[in-house]
Every structure is written in C-alpha cells, then in structure tokens.
Amino acid sequence: GHQIVEAEEQNAKVSIGSTVKVYFDDKDEEKEYTIGAYGESDVRQNFISYMSPIAKSLMGMRQGEFKEVTIGPRNVEVEIIDIQPPSYRYRQLIQKLLEGTSDD
C-alpha cells in the first residue's frame, strides 16, 4: 500500500512537500524542485524524493541561505531563492502519482 506522509504546511525551511527554487552557481541557472516522501518522485515533474542527494543537501535550509553541495563529481554552491509550502504543488503531484499507479 501507499503510505502518505502528511507534509507540514510551512515554508520557513525546506522539508518534505516543499517546492524549492534553487540557484546553481556553477551553471548560473535556477531550478525548481518539489520534495516528495520516500519513493515519491517523478523526474519529469522535478518531483524528487527527500532521499535523493540533492534533496538531502537542501533539507532544513532557509530562504536566502547558501551552501556548498556535492552533485556527482562537482562541488556546487547553491542558494535557496524561494520556498513554497506543500499546498503549492506537493498535493497535486501526489494525486497525479497515485492516479498513475492505480491501473493494475
């Protein structure tokens, strides 16, 4: 069965359910990720599990914070530009994910 993790409705820091806009220093680009619970991910939707290396390094960060993270072979400085609460995107992604797996 599916275990739904109740994501806490807050946007003070990056946690499960957060949608995070991250600036990557090395590539001078911004990316937006939504962080899912264990096993919840859809890379096409930029929906990543909190267990993934990038999510792990972002967890607990606050808006405006910088951190050096290791992505594969690279050390990259990232900045948290924006954090949205779970209601922003997480719940609709979970819905989609569940609908997509119910056709067995």
Side-chain angles (χ1 to χ4, degrees):
H2 278 281
Q3 186 187 3
I4 298 293
V5 173
E6 193 42 58
E8 189 192 342
E9 185 63 11
Q10 58 84 31
N11 67 342
K13 59 188 193 321
V14 180
S15 58
I16 291 175
S18 299
T19 296
V20 191
K21 194 175 282 179
V22 186
Y23 173 76
F24 289 88
D25 193 39
D26 65 328
K27 291 189 169 169
D28 190 28
E29 68 175 3
E30 288 178 17
K31 277 197 169 166
E32 193 172 80
Y33 297 107
T34 299
I35 298 177
Y38 183 77
E40 293 170 354
S41 61
D42 181 341
V43 178
R44 289 179 314 248
Q45 307 266 2
N46 281 346
F47 188 39
I48 59 174
S49 163
Y50 78 101
M51 295 297 289
S52 68
I54 182 76
K56 269 185 173 168
S57 51
L58 299 176
M59 292 290 268
M61 288 183 71
R62 295 175 183 273
Q63 191 173 337
E65 279 192 342
F66 291 85
K67 189 181 197 179
E68 192 165 281
V69 302
T70 304
I71 303 173
R74 319 197 309 273
N75 280 341
V76 181
E77 179 149 289
V78 298
E79 179 187 357
I80 304 291
I81 295 172
D82 194 30
I83 304 171
Q84 298 287 346
S87 58
Y88 176 70
R89 198 153 174 263
Y90 180 71
R91 295 196 167 90
Q92 66 208 51
L93 281 168
I94 286 294
Q95 203 51 48
K96 247 187 227 166
L97 215 64
L98 293 178
E99 285 163 11
T101 53
S102 61
D103 45 42
D104 42 2

